Amino acid sequence: LAAEPPGGLAAVIAARQGPFRAIVSRGAGFFIGAWYRASFGLDIGRPEGLPTGPCIFAPNHVSLHDGVLLFRVFQEIGRRVCFLAIRTQFESFFRRVLTRTGRIILTDQRESVLVSLQYAAAALRAGFDVCIFPEGERSIDGCVGEPRPGVGLLSRELRVPVVPVRIAGTACRGS
């Protein structure tokens, strides 16, 4: 995990920063938040005891809405989070736009797991939080499945805490 990922993290994140993207990101976050409040009764609350430094957020994954919802939540609580996601899930125009504003690190299923973890490690070393769905896929029945070892490996090797995140109420909409 000490090696830089191919192309470096800057190729994935730095190119997406700037004033225009910040305005688009904030605007998108505002409308996403309003829509989720109206549609789902979004209530973020005030999370307590979050680490002050970089951490790994490990949410359950029950719906297509989860990533977008988390983007808004993390934006609202002031966290700089990168998301690890599979490239094939971001082939539509709308989802490609999300990758540019949402700090989404796309990985290819053909790449080794090590490359994906190198991107996540580089983000953590750069001071970003990283959000990884530890099961690696959505749950069909809403139950938490068997986690893959990536989150634990990153946490142990980089000595960063893992923050479990529970998402509830999105499973019946857009699963």
Side-chain angles (χ1 to χ4, degrees):
L1 296 178
E4 274 294 307
L9 185 65
V12 177
I13 294 176
R16 298 188 180 133
Q17 295 177 355
F20 178 73
R21 291 243 162 77
I23 291 169
V24 170
S25 179
R26 287 286 171 199
F30 173 79
F31 287 109
I32 289 168
W35 186 77
Y36 275 104
R37 278 185 180 79
S39 300
F40 293 95
L42 174 65
D43 179 20
I44 295 171
R46 286 287 155 228
E48 296 179 13
L50 291 178
T52 55
C55 67
I56 300 167
F57 288 105
N60 61 314
H61 195 10
V62 294
S63 166
L64 292 173
H65 294 281
D66 296 341
V68 177
L69 175 67
L70 288 169
F71 165 78
R72 178 59 189 140
V73 168
F74 293 139
Q75 189 182 57
E76 193 163 310
I77 64 172
R79 301 298 294 216
R80 293 177 354 139
V81 180
C82 294
F83 293 83
L84 211 57
I86 297 171
R87 185 177 313 279
T88 57
Q89 297 297 315
F90 287 84
E91 292 176 347
S92 73
F93 173 76
F94 176 71
R95 289 183 179 180
R96 282 195 311 269
V97 170
L98 285 177
T99 65
R100 291 181 181 90
T101 60
R103 291 193 195 102
I104 299 173
I105 301 170
L106 297 178
T107 61
D108 197 319
Q109 287 179 311
R110 293 173 297 220
E111 290 177 336
S112 73
V113 173
L114 179 60
V115 172
S116 299
L117 294 178
Q118 285 173 334
Y119 277 112
L124 289 162
R125 284 193 295 271
F128 290 94
D129 298 320
V130 173
C131 181
I132 302 174
F133 294 105
E135 300 155 284
E137 60 190 5
R138 282 192 319 268
S139 169
I140 295 171
D141 60 5
C143 296
V144 176
E146 189 70 30
R148 296 184 182 178
V151 170
L153 181 65
L154 277 171
S155 176
R156 186 187 74 217
E157 293 295 316
L158 297 176
R159 299 177 197 262
V160 295
V162 175
V163 178
V165 177
R166 179 176 175 261
I167 300 172
T170 62
C172 60
R173 298 177 177 153
S175 293

